[in-house]
Amino acid sequence: IQRGKEFAKLAKTIESASRMAGGDREHHLVTAAVARARDADMPKSRIETAIERGALKSRDKTSSSVDLMTFEMNFRGIGIIVEALTDNHSRTAQEIRAIARKFGAHMGAENSILWNWKRIGLLKVSWLTDDEARRDDLFTAALNGGADDLEEAQEDHSINVFTEPHHLHATRLALSTAGFEVD
């Protein structure tokens, strides 16, 4: 039962991503959602069904469109960014404002907090060796895939690969093709 609930949530995420991407399977939102589903061992047939359902809903002008709304707020000097998928902008905005008011947060103007942040993609590559030649192969594969930066994580013996969100799939594919285990 627990696994079924998890698959239902993942299917909904894939469907929403596919709808927002207009059915483009290579869109970074779709590839990220599919990667999470594969990590959870979701059956391929359910993944494909969710992608197709989202693509059909994006083409169907009579179905309600789901949009991504971004809210920025300040709570005791801490910037908070809330992203919400919604089919009713007014209701969602009202609910987010009510929650912010309840906890004493103040809604910010557009770009009042986002200006300070940048979206990045993060891939973790398992790293259990000190082989310099292998490290060079990792660096080359990551750069060929579109990575911006690499950083060694001391706590879990891995290397963090940073990339633009739209290069995430290509970078993951390049690293996997080169024989690296991407988490």
Side-chain angles (χ1 to χ4, degrees):
I1 295 175
Q2 201 68 357
R3 216 172 136 154
K5 285 183 181 179
E6 182 181 1
F7 287 169
K9 286 181 185 178
L10 290 168
K12 189 71 170 169
T13 304
I14 293 169
E15 184 180 331
S16 296
S18 179
R19 185 182 309 176
M20 289 182 1
D24 180 12
R25 291 174 179 265
E26 297 301 316
H27 193 274
H28 65 92
L29 292 175
V30 176
T31 56
V34 168
R36 281 194 302 274
R38 285 190 181 139
D39 290 344
D41 294 327
M42 186 172 175
K44 187 175 183 178
S45 61
R46 288 193 64 179
I47 293 172
E48 293 298 322
T49 302
I51 291 172
E52 289 303 317
R53 203 169 35 233
L56 285 173
K57 287 183 179 177
S58 74
R59 283 179 251 156
D60 183 14
K61 300 303 177 195
T62 61
S63 72
S64 62
S65 67
V66 175
D67 297 318
L68 180 68
M69 292 181 70
T70 304
F71 300 93
E72 303 172 46
M73 57 188 84
N74 185 343
F75 178 70
R76 297 183 181 169
I78 299 170
I80 300 172
I81 301 168
V82 177
E83 290 185 335
L85 281 175
T86 183
D87 59 349
N88 186 332
H89 291 261
S90 299
R91 182 189 65 223
T92 303
Q94 181 181 353
E95 288 179 6
I96 296 293
R97 281 191 203 102
I99 292 169
R101 216 174 330 172
K102 178 180 177 182
F103 292 101
H106 302 285
M107 298 298 289
E110 186 176 334
N111 223 14
S112 63
I113 296 179
L114 278 174
W115 69 270
N116 204 17
W117 298 93
K118 179 183 175 189
R119 287 192 179 275
I120 60 167
L122 170 65
L123 298 170
K124 291 180 98 43
V125 178
S126 299
W127 193 258
L128 300 173
T129 182
D130 288 331
D131 183 12
E132 283 300 315
R134 192 74 177 136
R135 185 181 302 271
D136 290 344
D137 292 343
L138 172 69
F139 187 73
T140 303
L143 288 180
N144 288 341
D148 293 332
D149 195 13
L150 286 89
E151 175 184 275
E152 193 166 342
Q154 300 297 329
E155 66 275 356
D156 61 353
H157 302 293
S158 66
I159 293 183
N160 295 330
V161 179
F162 300 99
T163 182
E164 295 291 325
H166 56 276
H167 290 150
L168 197 60
H169 179 66
T171 306
R172 178 188 295 269
L173 190 62
L175 291 169
S176 296
T177 303
F180 295 101
E181 184 180 328
V182 181
D183 296 335

